[in-house]
Amino acid sequence: RYPFINCTNCGPRFTIIKDIPYDRPLTTMAGFTMCPQCRAEYENPLDRRFHAQPNACPVCGPRVWLTDHKGKAVNCTDVIRHASSLLCDGKIVAIKGLGGFLLACDATNPAAVSTLRDRKARRDKPFAVMVKNLEELRRFCRFDSAEAKILSSPQAPIVLLRLKPGCTIAPQVAPKNNYLGAMLPYTPIHHLLISEAGIPLVMTSGNLTEEPIAAANGEAMERLSNLADYFLFHDRDIHSRYDDSVVFVSEGTAQPVRRARSLAPYPIRLPVTSRPLLATGAQEKSAFCLAKDTYGFLSQHIGDLDNIETIEHYEQTVDLYKRLFRVEPAAVAHDMHPDYLSTRYALRHKDRLPLIAVQHHHAHVAACMADNGIPGRVIGIAFDGSGYGPDGTVWGGEFLVAGYERFERFGHFQQLPMPGGELAIRKPYRLAIAYLRALLGSLPALPFAEALPATEVNIILRQGEQRINTPLTSSCGRLFDAVSALLGVCQTITFEGQAAVELEMSSASTGSDESFPYYVELADGVWQVHVGPMFEAIVHQIAGGVPTSRLAETFHTTVASVAASVASLIHQETGIRDVVLTGGCFQNRLLLEKTIRSVRRIGLNVFVHRQVPCNDGGVALGQAVVAASVLASS
């Protein structure tokens, strides 16, 4: 029952290493001197713990202890058993794990989960759940052999699985969601706790929403004392913070949503030879990439660069990677957006290193190309929330013809107004009102709009007419938001992508090919997708009483049809047959499946992400290969 048992093939690695080579004196285990028995195991080539750097036992290794939220030690003979009983009693326990603290509670206890939500200021975003084994998991979720294999793999990521209706997981764990993020125990502490407790446990990052995960004991007590009732500490220091990785399975293969523990920083083979360089990534879901020769080292998920704590975590991790991988950048690649903090970090180097600005959606497409080792040019379909366009507008529904060095914009969704800019993202009903007015000429009488204060509706309409703080966007993500609000699914959000997620969850899955009307026209040499007929049809069908689930599915089918239609036009013009699907919208499994099917139906090859996320967590890899190609040609 020792919670730090390990062997040569398991145990902590990247979270405890300070420098290379990976030897005990250069890890956070340096302060634990092995006892004679552990030393004998460590030095015996025939022993399973031969040169296992974290090798330890209760005599010579790290220890665990339990305190209340004020730091007062809990007197008990069996720490694990006592912590398990607290969890069974509905308490919230902060558990120091592999890459940081996790906040745990009984996943079948609605009151405990609701309390955790309130304390963590995380009203709607789903929590992950840890269960003892696959047999136990079958009580709550449906999964196939491919998903079971990934769950049971040494990487043990969180896997998004379809929930069984009526299961005992509290609905507060994943509100308005048909999927559950599930994982199996991946450290001895987890195995002992969950075996003792005998219940599924919510396991969510030990932080307030948008902060980095807490890693040090003192830091955790300071930051989490208002969140947890008790703390399960240990004294093996964490040198590098790591969240859990998250994946979903598409066509039998894992597709990363968050690349972190156990996946990063596994090197990605680059399709080009690179000088030593740093790619700083994006603002949201931030990760950076160091590139050298034919390898890219994409960092773990850092988080949104919206607060000083996350920025410090970003900078410290850049320094760690440079030291561990012996990469001293000779150039820095960054996003074109001038206000991204990742861009500002890059600009600090402008006096001594060349900087390469990479357009956001070109980076998305290049990342998917590198992910699949594709040479030459592709048709890149990049659907996401936003990215800075060279024309100064907000892009996000893009059809590019791209190689690694350059790209050309061949098509996009028509540009529509975002009244209030960022405010329209947080309140999708603003988008729905503005889109209806722009496309139909007036705001029809619809339930979602009639539920809003008339004064606010009038302000939104005037704001759009006078273009006051109303940027234009071609974003596919904003299109999902607007339709979600229009159908009455989601009017305001508390986490990124919520309106689109809830639209997907509300959709039927009949496999229907029915789509709304739209048209594509060539304007200034670029194909533009006009969605006015679609909005007119949606309004008409709402009035006709068509169920929301059917309208939501038809909308997904329409977006997939748009993707295939424009890809076909570009193929006819260029002869290119390879299509890559990238951008955060393709985390939507219904959209992804329909788009793959639609593009294959017209005889083109489809490529999706397999090693890095399709969201902004993969952008740095794309920046790196674009910059490497630009530098090579110059």
Side-chain angles (χ1 to χ4, degrees):
R1 287 174 61 85
Y2 183 55
F4 302 97
I5 197 75
N6 66 91
C7 73
T8 305
N9 295 319
C10 70
R13 292 287 193 280
F14 204 82
T15 57
I16 65 170
I17 188 172
K18 296 179 178 180
D19 205 344
I20 56 173
Y22 176 56
D23 289 327
R24 192 178 182 109
L26 296 178
T27 73
T28 61
M29 287 295 294
F32 298 96
T33 302
M34 282 183 275
C35 66
Q37 184 177 350
C38 287
R39 172 62 64 181
E41 293 173 337
Y42 181 85
E43 294 178 348
N44 182 1
L46 300 180
D47 196 284
R48 66 185 298 185
R49 296 188 175 90
F50 176 61
H51 280 198
Q53 302 305 332
N55 190 31
C57 73
V59 173
C60 64
R63 64 184 184 91
V64 293
W65 67 95
L66 193 66
T67 78
D68 65 15
H69 71 284
K70 295 181 179 179
K72 182 181 178 181
V74 175
N75 188 19
C76 56
T77 56
D78 189 324
V79 170
I80 297 295
R81 182 165 295 164
H82 196 86
S84 298
S85 69
L86 291 169
L87 289 164
C88 291
D89 288 342
K91 302 300 183 184
I92 297 167
V93 181
I95 302 165
K96 188 177 183 181
L98 195 67
F101 281 78
L102 296 175
L103 293 167
C105 72
D106 179 358
T108 65
N109 184 330
V113 179
S114 295
T115 298
L116 179 55
R117 284 205 173 279
D118 291 342
R119 293 180 185 177
K120 194 172 160 69
R122 182 165 164 166
R123 197 179 82 188
D124 302 303
K125 193 174 183 180
F127 287 140
V129 170
M130 181 179 286
V131 300
K132 182 178 180 179
N133 51 38
L134 292 177
E135 182 181 358
E136 178 81 1
L137 184 56
R138 290 191 193 280
R139 293 174 49 204
F140 312 115
C141 297
R142 296 191 178 99
F143 52 93
D144 59 24
S145 58
E147 290 164 327
K149 184 177 180 181
I150 293 165
L151 283 160
S152 305
S153 68
Q155 290 75 25
I158 296 169
V159 182
L160 301 178
L161 305 174
R162 187 167 285 278
L163 269 167
K164 285 185 176 178
C167 76
T168 56
I169 296 293
Q172 293 83 355
V173 170
K176 299 181 182 179
N177 207 301
N178 304 329
Y179 293 92
L180 179 70
M183 59 179 159
L184 301 184
Y186 58 85
T187 72
I189 287 180
H190 296 146
H191 279 282
L192 293 170
L193 271 174
I194 208 144
S195 294
E196 192 71 47
I199 53 174
L201 297 175
V202 166
M203 288 281 190
T204 187
S205 300
N207 56 7
L208 275 172
T209 298
E210 307 308 335
E211 289 183 355
I213 189 171
N217 292 347
E219 173 197 13
M221 180 58 70
E222 180 181 345
R223 289 172 52 198
L224 307 181
S225 59
N226 291 328
L227 280 65
D229 300 308
Y230 293 89
F231 286 79
L232 182 57
F233 288 114
H234 65 71
D235 55 357
R236 185 180 68 199
D237 289 342
I238 295 168
H239 190 66
S240 184
R241 306 170 198 265
Y242 262 69
D243 288 284
D244 291 314
S245 293
V246 182
V247 306
F248 68 88
V249 176
S250 170
E251 299 189 322
T253 307
Q255 185 161 332
V257 174
R258 185 170 72 194
R259 189 175 186 266
R261 173 188 55 77
S262 75
L263 299 182
Y266 193 84
I268 298 164
R269 185 171 286 277
L270 303 179
V272 295
T273 300
S274 175
R275 300 183 198 177
L277 62 85
L278 167 66
T280 60
Q283 176 78 7
E284 308 295 323
K285 297 179 175 62
S286 181
F288 61 84
C289 183
L290 285 177
K292 183 180 181 181
D293 299 329
T294 57
Y295 290 101
F297 301 95
L298 184 66
S299 78
Q300 74 267 34
H301 167 83
I302 302 292
D304 298 347
L305 299 180
D306 294 333
N307 55 66
I308 189 65
E309 294 86 359
T310 308
I311 294 165
E312 289 174 350
H313 174 31
Y314 178 96
E315 294 175 349
Q316 291 164 3
T317 309
V318 170
D319 291 340
L320 176 65
Y321 272 54
K322 287 164 63 176
R323 183 168 67 253
L324 291 180
F325 298 115
R326 304 298 194 255
V327 176
E328 189 54 49
V332 180
H334 62 87
D335 195 275
M336 283 185 170
H337 199 301
D339 294 329
Y340 278 7
L341 293 184
S342 57
T343 300
R344 294 184 183 181
Y345 178 81
L347 292 175
R348 294 186 202 171
H349 302 80
K350 65 180 180 180
D351 293 334
R352 60 185 185 86
L353 294 175
L355 303 184
I356 298 103
V358 182
Q359 199 280 325
H360 189 81
H361 300 95
H362 184 202
H364 268 305
V365 172
C368 193
M369 292 174 67
D371 196 330
N372 290 278
I374 302 173
R377 296 192 304 165
V378 301
I379 299 169
I381 301 178
F383 288 172
D384 67 358
S386 66
Y388 189 84
D391 59 359
T393 64
V394 182
W395 290 16
E398 307 307 313
F399 297 87
L400 310 180
V401 168
Y404 291 114
E405 187 178 346
R406 60 179 61 88
F407 77 96
E408 186 176 352
R409 192 187 199 192
F410 266 61
H412 59 84
F413 281 98
Q414 71 180 109
Q415 293 183 326
L416 291 166
M418 288 176 60
E422 290 291 325
L423 183 61
I425 298 173
R426 296 193 297 273
K427 297 182 176 182
Y429 63 80
R430 297 178 69 91
L431 292 167
I433 290 169
Y435 283 21
L436 288 167
R437 179 62 174 267
L439 294 168
L440 306 185
S442 62
L443 179 63
L446 291 166
F448 91 93
E450 291 173 347
L452 298 169
T455 52
E456 184 176 10
V457 172
N458 289 331
I459 289 171
I460 295 168
L461 291 172
R462 287 202 305 273
Q463 195 172 15
E465 289 170 4
Q466 299 173 21
R467 294 292 306 278
I468 301 170
N469 188 24
T470 302
L472 295 175
T473 181
S474 60
S475 168
C476 184
R478 300 292 80 82
L479 192 62
F480 268 85
D481 292 348
V483 172
S484 185
L486 173 59
L487 297 183
V489 173
C490 182
Q491 304 300 324
T492 61
I493 68 168
T494 61
F495 66 90
E496 184 195 9
Q498 181 178 354
V501 168
E502 292 187 8
L503 184 64
E504 178 190 1
M505 296 306 125
S506 69
S507 175
S509 298
T510 66
S512 168
D513 288 330
E514 178 187 6
S515 65
F516 295 120
Y518 62 89
Y519 67 93
V520 182
E521 70 172 2
L522 196 62
D524 299 323
V526 177
W527 295 107
Q528 292 190 24
V529 180
H530 290 264
V531 294
M534 179 182 75
F535 274 80
E536 190 172 358
I538 292 174
V539 169
H540 177 73
Q541 292 189 26
I542 289 173
V546 176
T548 298
S549 60
R550 179 178 164 188
L551 294 173
E553 182 178 22
T554 304
F555 171 71
H556 281 81
T557 306
T558 305
V559 176
S561 172
V562 166
S565 297
V566 179
S568 178
L569 291 169
I570 297 172
H571 164 66
Q572 292 170 31
E573 187 173 346
T574 64
I576 298 171
R577 305 195 65 84
D578 292 341
V579 178
V580 303
L581 306 181
T582 187
C585 289
F586 286 112
Q587 294 171 121
N588 179 323
R589 281 200 256 193
L590 182 60
L591 176 65
L592 180 65
E593 291 165 3
K594 285 180 175 288
T595 305
I596 289 173
R597 190 163 60 244
S598 296
V599 174
R600 284 178 178 164
R601 193 178 292 146
I602 60 173
L604 301 182
N605 306 316
V606 182
F607 296 88
V608 299
H609 290 264
R610 296 302 182 197
Q611 300 181 78
V612 303
C614 64
N615 60 44
D616 282 5
V619 159
L621 175 64
Q623 292 172 347
V625 292
V626 169
S629 299
V630 169
L631 290 169
S633 68
S634 63

